[in-house]
């Protein structure tokens, strides 16, 4: 008997009903079932499926390599969840269950309509395995977007350039291959689901509980519509920004010139712009770090604390990178730190 939880497809030790065959008078529908399962198994052996396993292994190695550097960062926690979902997917082994069930079906070339057929419980078990396969890919897509969103932000701030570039490329590739596999499994499920009533049922081997019902249709994760694609993976697409020259900028300003704006006297400016000259030298940066670190320790930080809106882990990462680069290239260390502070203080 299956678990009564609505997410029974997510059970690791889902009990498989015995693969029993019964003699039926009409097995004509089984040919279509045999053909679609066989086509899906051929797709699982294609190069894309092998690339998926190789990329999943690469993500696992990258996670293990940097587990101390990013341990407390939210993007790395999403990466750990992504690795757990990939490991769970490999443990599912959908291909083995499909091969076993296909072997119990009548031969697709058999012209005789009467013959042995697997029970409805065995067929429902295959559908539940397809549900688990599909929803795990949904989980993988969700973790990919969360992890990529965070690491793209690190890349924009020039943090860990080599590692984050490789990691984002691996995440984007696993996201694409996962969407393809999920779409193929959804198509297989949608073709097999209407055939449930054709399989013979045995009361002793009933698989689904009374309060459990299989969905009638699954929606493929990947769509041919470009708008759907952009909406589904906003964090995995880096759009190139158009470079505007000084001449073009002056032309745009001339077209948009509508006069001189005069500010009201009763609306004084509340925010002061950060002075970049305060970080002109390495010594200035070191004094700035010491002053801001002391202010950030107060609860709450005073109004004079310019970095109070910066998260703790980003502030610590910026200090670590500054100190690491300082001994090798002070100019580059100062430049990276200044860019980080200017991007965060508006």
């Amino acid at each position: 008997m299956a678990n009564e939880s609505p997410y029974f497809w997510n059970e690791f030790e889902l009990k498989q009903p015995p693969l029993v065959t019964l003699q039926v008078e009409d097995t004509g529908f089984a040919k279509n079932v045999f053909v679609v399962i066989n086509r899906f198994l051929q797709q699982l052996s294609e190069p894309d499926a092998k690339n998926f396993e190789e990329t999943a292994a690469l993500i696992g190695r990258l996670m293990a390599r940097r587990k101390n550097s990013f341990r407390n960062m939210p993007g790395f926690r999403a990466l750990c969840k992504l690795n757990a979902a990939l490991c769970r997917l490999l443990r599912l082994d959908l291909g083995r269950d499909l091969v076993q069930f296909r072997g119990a079906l009548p031969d697709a070339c058999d012209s005789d309509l009467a013959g042995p057929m697997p029970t409805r419980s065995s067929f429902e078990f295959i559908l539940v395995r397809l549900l688990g396969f599909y929803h795990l890919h949904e989980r993988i897509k969700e973790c990919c977007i969360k992890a990529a969103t965070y690491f793209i932000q690190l890349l924009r701030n020039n943090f860990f350039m080599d590692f984050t570039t490789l990691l984002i490329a691996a995440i984007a590739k696993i996201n694409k291959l996962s969407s393809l596999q999920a779409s193929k499994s959804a198509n297989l499920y949608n073709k097999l689901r209407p055939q449930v009533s054709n399989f013979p049922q045995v009361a002793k081997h009933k698989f689904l509980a009374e309060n459990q019902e299989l969905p009638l249709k699954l929606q493929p994760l990947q769509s041919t519509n470009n708008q759907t694609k952009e909406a589904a993976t906003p964090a995995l697409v880096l759009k190139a920004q158009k470079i505007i020259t000084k001449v073009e900028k002056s032309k745009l300003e001339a077209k948009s010139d509508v006069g001189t704006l005069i500010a009201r006297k009763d609306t004084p400016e509340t925010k002061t712009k950060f002075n970049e000259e305060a970080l002109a030298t390495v010594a200035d940066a070191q004094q700035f770090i010491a002053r801001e670190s002391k202010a950030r320790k107060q609860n709450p930080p005073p109004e004079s604390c310019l970095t109070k809106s910066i998260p703790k882990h980003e502030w610590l990462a910026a200090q670590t990178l500054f100190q690491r680069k300082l001994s090798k290239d002070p100019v580059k260390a100062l430049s990276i730190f200044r860019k980080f502070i200017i991007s965060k203080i508006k």
Side-chain angles (χ1 to χ4, degrees), residues 6-67:
Y7 304 106
F8 58 94
W9 49 262
N10 197 32
E11 295 292 332
F12 263 130
E13 304 299 335
L14 187 63
K15 187 176 180 181
Q16 182 178 3
L19 188 58
V20 179
T21 56
L22 296 178
Q23 192 74 13
V24 295
E25 297 180 357
D26 187 3
T27 61
F29 70 94
K31 295 180 181 180
N32 294 330
V33 176
F34 185 94
V35 169
V36 295
I37 291 179
N38 194 56
R39 186 178 297 117
F40 181 79
L41 288 173
Q42 290 176 354
Q43 292 173 346
L44 288 181
S45 61
E46 291 178 353
D48 284 346
K50 296 181 180 179
N51 290 337
F52 181 87
E53 296 179 0
E54 293 175 357
T55 311
L58 175 61
I59 289 178
R61 291 196 295 269
L62 291 174
M63 184 199 70
R65 180 181 178 184
R66 286 291 186 176
K67 63 181 180 180

Side-chain angles (χ1 to χ4, degrees), residues 1 18 20-24 29 117-124 195-210 212:
M1 185 71 66
V20 179
T21 56
L22 296 178
Q23 192 74 13
V24 295
F29 70 94
M117 283 291 299
T119 62
R120 184 179 302 181
S121 298
S122 298
F123 187 64
E124 289 174 340
Q195 304 289 349
V196 172
S197 58
N198 295 327
F199 283 83
Q201 188 172 11
V202 180
K204 294 182 180 180
H205 299 158
K206 195 171 181 182
F207 178 64
L208 295 178
E210 296 295 336
Q212 292 174 344

Side-chain angles (χ1 to χ4, degrees), residues 276-333:
E276 300 179 14
E277 298 301 325
L279 297 177
T281 63
V282 173
D284 293 340
Q286 291 174 339
Q287 293 177 4
F288 179 81
I289 292 174
R291 183 175 63 254
E292 291 297 315
S293 298
K294 183 178 180 181
R296 288 171 64 93
K297 292 179 181 180
Q298 301 181 25
N299 190 16
E303 293 296 329
S304 59
C305 182
L306 300 176
T307 62
K308 60 182 179 181
S309 61
I310 301 178
K312 181 179 179 181
H313 63 275
E314 293 187 9
W315 174 249
L316 294 177
Q319 294 184 62
T320 303
L321 183 62
F322 175 75
Q323 296 297 338
R324 187 180 301 171
K325 294 285 186 181
L326 188 60
S327 58
K328 298 179 181 179
D329 191 348
V331 176
K332 186 175 181 181

